[in-house]
Amino acid sequence: MVLAAYPLITTTELQATRDFYVGHFDMTVVFEATWVVMLSIGEDAPICLGLMTPDHPSHPPGPEIFDGRGMIVTIQVDDAAETFARLQENAAPIVYGLHDEPWGQRRFMTRDPAGTLVDVVEQIEPAAGFWDRYLRE
């Protein structure tokens, strides 16, 4: 039986990346050591994101330091516009501005100190017929 699954990002910016998720998205540190941090979306919630330094003691295997390519962390919020404004006020880097997407998301993107793209989304009504061409019969 699987108990949990979560991404683990290897970064040289452990504390800054922890502070990014705690400060901007109210995540909770559920475990922290000198080389690893586990975050959740609340004290009693399961782990949703792990952060680890490249000099962790659990070698082998790897992993190498994350280079910012090939991964997006999606954080679903109840109000993307409010979250966007708050992150702008706090000087978080915005790499894709606030947009209403035809597939049914109001979203923007930021980047954490480890280089990970963070897609902040609010579910909204999709444009009429948008999904018709993509759904499998």
Side-chain angles (χ1 to χ4, degrees):
M1 174 191 294
V2 175
L3 299 177
Y6 50 86
L8 182 64
I9 300 168
T10 302
T11 177
T12 58
E13 301 296 327
L14 187 68
Q15 287 78 25
T17 307
R18 174 203 60 207
D19 294 348
F20 176 87
Y21 289 101
V22 170
H24 293 308
F25 298 105
D26 298 323
M27 288 190 181
T28 301
V29 175
V30 294
F31 178 79
E32 184 169 15
T34 57
W35 58 274
V36 66
V37 175
M38 296 298 180
L39 302 168
S40 75
I41 56 172
E43 289 183 26
D44 297 326
I47 293 170
C48 65
L49 182 62
L51 309 170
M52 179 174 68
T53 62
D55 60 348
H56 61 91
S58 62
H59 291 292
E64 293 70 33
I65 297 170
F66 181 66
D67 69 1
R69 294 179 296 174
M71 185 173 130
I72 296 172
V73 171
T74 299
I75 298 178
Q76 187 173 337
V77 299
D78 62 353
D79 187 337
E82 181 277 325
T83 306
F84 178 76
R86 185 167 39 83
L87 266 67
Q88 275 192 313
E89 289 173 13
N90 290 302
I94 303 298
V95 297
Y96 182 74
L98 186 66
H99 287 83
D100 284 358
E101 305 291 5
W103 57 84
Q105 289 181 333
R106 179 168 294 131
R107 66 190 274 259
F108 69 94
M109 295 181 88
T110 182
R111 192 177 293 278
D112 75 17
T116 309
L117 280 174
V118 180
D119 192 20
V120 182
V121 303
E122 171 189 346
Q123 299 303 321
I124 61 173
E125 194 65 34
F130 177 85
W131 286 105
D132 294 348
R133 65 179 174 233
Y134 298 106
L135 296 177
R136 297 180 192 260
E137 293 183 24

